[in-house]
Amino acid sequence: MRSVRGGVLARSFSLIAVGFLLTISLHFSAATVTAGPASLTAPIGPEHLRSSVNTLQVSAQKRWEVRWESTQGLPRSIAGGLSVRYDGEPVDIARQFARDHRGLFGLSETAAPVSVDVLPVRQQQLPGGDLVTLQQTVNGIPVVDARIAMVVSDGAVRHVSSSAIQVSVPITVTPSVSIPAAITNARHAIDPSLPHRVVQKPELAVLADPDPTLAYEVFVSVNRGYWEPWQILVDASSGAIVRQRPLIQEATGTGRVFDPNPVVSLADVSLRDENDAASAVPSAGYHLVTLENLDEPVAGVYTLGGLYVRLVNKSIPTNVAPTSTTGSFLYWRDHDAFEEVMAYYTIDRNQAYIQSLGFYDINNRPIEVDAHALFGWDNSFYTGSPVGAGYIQFGDGGVDDAEDADIILHEYGHAIQDNSNPGVFFGSADNGYGNETGAMAEGFCDFWAASATYDSSVAHIFPPEFFGEWNAKGLASGPAHYLRLVNTDKTYPGDMVGKIHADGEIWSATLWEMFEAIGRGTTDRIVLYSHFLLPTDPDFADGAQALLDADALLHPVVSGPDGPIAGEHYNIICGIASSRGILSCSPICDCSEHGNAYDDAYLDLVDILTIADEAFMGADPAPTDPLCPHLNRADYNCDGFVDAEDISLAVDYVFRNGNPPCDPCE
């Protein structure tokens, strides 16, 4: 308990009068003045332009025609001429040309206080040459929309188009706003009520229009019944939106899929495989979707594959990724390409979701997927070869596995874990009841599928805790409602049976309880983070402790001399893990501030007034311990009520050296 404020208060003071004075004094604060941003740009003098253009023309094999950009005073295009010949590859030639004529492209001299340079970002083959695109950078940070594209042929530059800017003032490259905060602000700039996903990691950039600003460039898509992509620029100092615009992505396509499967979307448990017949599923069970992040077409032909999925052939039966000249991949389930589209769409969307949670290095790669593999067996595998960056194979027995998003997400879950902590989930911790490492892996993957399909299940009034509803209709043993559940009442060790899928229901139920208690996004972030914290051969107890540790790192609320010791959700996670029998832990409550109802540095008159306000004026409850919200600090005597007795006891303590507040943690 903090000590009473120094000095003796006269008992004759009216509580109301003193309270009024104290209340008034609390409203005074010092004004803060923030300087506006310094300009990053400066006009270019006529002499500078004249000299740069003269150098360009004198060095050319053929005279150039220069077209100017009015705002920056730099060339917009340099055409019609031919540069001197250079040695090297097209990228090297383009960069050297830009540096030879740095004044025309706003590049700095070697000793300049601001480092303005170019970085090659793309090279494309064109008839008769190569198109090399250079990104302008300031102190290593790319300038938004400031690119220089050059056509290079036979060692010479033949054409230049430029959107470069002139930068002359040093800028601060350290942001004040975090990436998650920038993502949140970007989403709110469009419509915070809509589902969203971040399609790539936000990066720092310099925006020179309308005002020079260090900003995050956030690419986010919102769902309006279709995925609508946006580019949002968020001020890296204030968090304000400085520019936003919708984008039409160059490489997207259209696909026909189940979302997540027809049993859920039609809420029809009577559906059967019927030997892969297209007619087995009514047309209403199919959905047209946008396929994002596709590879650019080659010679006008799209091949299904992209930023996060590479469709390959690993085993019999032989198959190849489907192609399209329009970007449309519209198949019914009786066509083998249908499962290819399902795998691509489901994994691509799930990776975007992972990145929307702030994780940009979890399986952020084009994972290899064989949608028809394993000799047609009714099984699917994630193969960890190489460790941490393996591939997925789906079988075709019964209902083709890649027709059910639950199965796709389950196998992708294995890839997520292995990429986060390579090799760890191939361990086999056994405390005498079975392989707990394997059970945790299977349990997480079931949970991950249920989490990803939760919104769709609820929207179609279908039990979200069912896993593999469509795949279960093709079981050799006969149709079932599901493969497994994620909400069983199984506990450890009594319900362990030595089979990793069945024992995994203990772990999936643990995660599902968290999901129901603290929500999808928070749970998924904690669970994903926990994978990085696990030791070799982890058992259930290790997994539960990693959840607590991840929560402390993501949501610290209790600090000690050695840093965060608990997370905001500690008591919830601890309670769930304890009830499941997988971890021995006790709730944590910080009772040191009990009685400090105003939540300042002292227990004094202001706290007495705060208790009185709650007892008699219907004021909001006093601040509580974040880990134990049921402990009301205004309840001075811990009897469960805030009333006159609490006021009397607080007055005795403050003015008469009476008894201190009770300790609700005893």
Side-chain angles (χ1 to χ4, degrees), residues 347-384:
I347 292 174
D348 177 79
R349 183 170 59 171
N350 195 243
Q351 177 58 220
Y353 171 68
I354 292 171
Q355 294 187 33
S356 78
L357 296 176
F359 296 97
Y360 304 102
D361 293 309
I362 295 180
N363 221 33
N364 186 349
R365 64 187 177 98
I367 187 171
E368 292 187 338
V369 175
D370 188 343
H372 299 282
L374 303 172
F375 306 92
W377 299 334
D378 188 13
N379 207 340
S380 296
F381 297 143
Y382 165 76
T383 302

Side-chain angles (χ1 to χ4, degrees), residues 24-270:
I24 291 295
S25 70
L26 291 172
H27 286 82
F28 286 96
S29 61
T32 301
V33 179
T34 303
S39 174
L40 301 181
T41 61
I44 303 172
E47 290 299 323
H48 180 87
L49 286 175
R50 198 172 298 130
S51 173
S52 297
V53 173
N54 183 62
T55 300
L56 174 73
Q57 300 292 17
V58 168
S59 64
Q61 297 186 63
K62 182 178 179 182
R63 188 174 180 84
W64 295 99
E65 178 181 356
V66 182
R67 300 183 180 90
W68 299 96
E69 199 279 330
S70 59
T71 303
Q72 291 290 327
L74 294 177
R76 186 170 183 82
S77 68
I78 302 173
L82 185 67
S83 76
V84 295
R85 296 190 182 278
Y86 295 84
D87 293 328
E89 296 298 318
V91 167
D92 303 317
I93 293 169
R95 181 185 287 181
Q96 190 60 51
F97 180 88
R99 290 173 174 171
D100 285 351
H101 305 287
R102 62 182 65 248
L104 296 175
F105 303 113
L107 308 187
S108 60
E109 299 293 337
T110 304
V114 182
S115 175
V116 184
D117 205 351
V118 288
L119 180 70
V121 293
R122 194 173 189 182
Q123 180 177 345
Q124 297 168 277
Q125 287 188 344
L126 299 177
D130 292 85
L131 180 67
V132 177
T133 303
L134 306 175
Q135 170 70 60
Q136 189 182 30
T137 63
V138 178
N139 293 342
I141 299 175
V143 181
V144 177
D145 297 334
R147 295 192 173 190
I148 305 165
M150 301 187 192
V151 176
V152 180
S153 177
D154 296 328
V157 175
R158 301 186 64 91
H159 183 278
V160 181
S161 60
S162 174
S163 58
I165 66 168
Q166 179 71 29
V167 181
S168 60
V169 178
I171 64 172
T172 300
V173 298
T174 303
S176 302
V177 176
S178 68
I179 288 179
I183 292 173
T184 297
N185 292 357
R187 181 190 176 194
H188 284 194
I190 307 172
D191 188 337
S193 67
L194 295 175
H196 79 289
R197 55 188 180 188
V198 178
V199 298
Q200 66 186 63
K201 180 181 179 180
E203 300 284 357
L204 285 174
V206 173
L207 176 66
D209 181 26
D211 296 315
T213 307
L214 181 68
Y216 282 108
E217 190 174 26
V218 183
F219 292 92
V220 60
S221 292
V222 296
N223 194 332
R224 302 184 188 277
Y226 61 94
W227 286 104
E228 178 184 80
W230 288 76
Q231 178 202 47
I232 312 291
L233 294 173
V234 182
D235 190 308
S237 297
S238 68
I241 304 300
V242 292
R243 192 175 83 178
Q244 62 187 76
R245 64 183 181 185
L247 300 176
I248 299 176
Q249 299 182 353
E250 293 182 355
T252 62
T254 304
R256 182 183 287 120
V257 299
F258 294 149
D259 188 13
N261 62 59
V263 174
V264 171
S265 62
L266 298 175
D268 187 351
V269 297
S270 69

